[in-house]
Amino acid sequence: MSAMPRSFQAFLGATFLSQLGNAAALLAATIVSSDAGRATADSATFTALMLAVNFGTATVATPYTAAIAARVGPRRLYAYTQALGALLYAVVAAGLVAGVPGYPLLLATAPLLGLLGGWSHVVAPLALRAYSGNEDLAAAESQSSIATGFAWVIGGLAGAALVTQVGPPTAFVADFALTVPLVLVVLLVEPGAAIGAVRSSPRPWRDLLGRLRHNPAVSRSAVIGLASAIFISPFASMVVPIARDLQHTLAIHAGLILACIAVGEMLSPAAVRSMSRVGSRVSPTWVAYTIAGLVLIVIGLTVLAFDGGPEL
């Protein structure tokens, strides 16, 4: 395997810093939303509402990414979404310091964060492919997954420490500061390969629904993505209310759960390679989601067995 281009090394390092800040900001945001509720159930409801607004906006905005990228360019769009998202968290930090109630502030910014996140999620793989130089995309994705997982391990623990010792605003400021290097790299450092032209559609939702009806591969991918978004992904976003419902009220408890989840992402490239060597006919994606579902069932049954009552 040839050495990765220096531009990719810079991109990967900046991505690591950005993801570290994202982990701290997510933990701080869910702590603020959980603190808005007096009871554990209220904490879960407030956090779920904030995340629903965020993810709902992202879902609506995602099909329009191609049209936006065709106008400003995928590389610039990625930089702009990262910069504006970090700036919004800086505004949240300033509002908290000024005494603005935290939960209404987060709820007001959730649609904008969801919009930016939806666009960023689409163009991020294009940026990764460009900065890797298209030489070994599998290796680039593997290194990116390891870097992201490692960043969330550190970010979850460091974010918990920041929130406990200083307060949530510091985690949001840290996210802003740690995202700046990624924005500068994407704007100033030329990638190893050019990003191809992006084709847009005047009716993206209509085209998307048509593909879902007539393309079995797209339909299967949509089912997998929807099942993951409903049954698996909320576990990482709801770590604070879950930890509190289990009588672990300190921020470090939620940060530790978040770090443990991130360890799995670090190990995922090795697991995929192992399955590829075995030559199984079953898709690694299906296997991964099946294992994740079984683990969640075991966790739930274990909690019920030792506590005797239903939990979140």
Side-chain angles (χ1 to χ4, degrees):
M1 182 181 67
S2 59
M4 291 292 176
R6 289 187 177 181
S7 59
F8 176 70
Q9 296 176 14
F11 178 78
L12 193 63
T15 299
F16 169 81
L17 294 176
S18 175
Q19 291 297 320
L20 196 156
N22 289 347
L26 173 64
L27 188 63
T30 52
I31 287 175
V32 171
S33 62
S34 296
D35 287 342
R38 296 180 179 179
T40 303
D42 294 334
S43 299
T45 301
F46 288 141
T47 303
L49 177 59
M50 180 188 69
L51 295 173
V53 173
N54 186 305
F55 295 147
T57 308
T59 301
V60 174
T62 295
Y64 298 96
T65 308
I68 305 298
R71 291 187 177 185
V72 303
R75 186 173 149 204
R76 287 181 178 272
L77 179 59
Y78 185 58
Y80 293 162
T81 55
Q82 293 297 311
L84 291 175
L87 185 60
L88 280 174
Y89 272 136
V91 171
V92 170
L96 291 174
V97 172
V100 179
Y103 183 71
L105 187 60
L106 284 172
L107 198 60
T109 58
L112 293 175
L113 288 171
L115 180 75
L116 297 171
W119 292 342
S120 176
H121 183 73
V122 175
V123 294
L126 301 179
L128 175 65
R129 181 178 294 125
Y131 278 95
S132 69
N134 287 330
E135 295 183 5
D136 193 341
L137 185 58
E141 291 177 342
S142 175
Q143 292 187 28
S144 177
S145 181
I146 293 173
T148 298
F150 188 45
W152 277 75
V153 171
I154 299 176
L157 298 176
L162 283 174
V163 171
T164 301
Q165 299 297 326
V166 186
T170 56
F172 295 129
V173 172
D175 178 73
F176 172 78
L178 292 171
T179 303
V180 170
L182 178 60
V183 175
L184 293 178
V185 166
V186 175
L187 288 178
L188 302 179
V189 178
E190 289 294 328
I195 300 178
V198 177
R199 293 182 298 176
S200 61
S201 170
R203 297 178 178 178
W205 271 104
R206 181 178 180 180
D207 291 347
L208 177 60
L209 294 176
R211 292 180 182 180
L212 288 174
R213 287 195 300 267
H214 302 106
N215 191 322
V218 175
S219 300
R220 285 194 297 269
S221 299
V223 170
I224 293 175
L226 183 62
S228 173
I230 294 175
F231 299 110
I232 298 176
S233 297
F235 183 71
S237 303
M238 297 287 289
V239 290
V240 174
I242 289 174
R244 291 186 177 184
D245 196 51
L246 297 174
Q247 307 306 315
H248 296 287
T249 58
L250 298 179
I252 191 61
H253 295 150
L256 184 59
I257 297 175
L258 197 62
C260 291
I261 295 173
V263 170
E265 183 170 359
M266 293 177 59
L267 299 176
S268 61
V272 171
R273 286 194 299 268
S274 298
M275 291 193 62
S276 300
R277 286 196 295 266
V278 171
S280 173
R281 295 182 179 180
V282 182
S283 169
T285 303
W286 285 108
V287 174
Y289 285 141
T290 301
I291 294 175
L294 292 174
V295 169
L296 291 177
I297 291 174
V298 170
I299 292 174
L301 292 177
T302 302
V303 170
L304 287 174
F306 283 94
D307 186 73
E311 303 288 348
L312 291 175

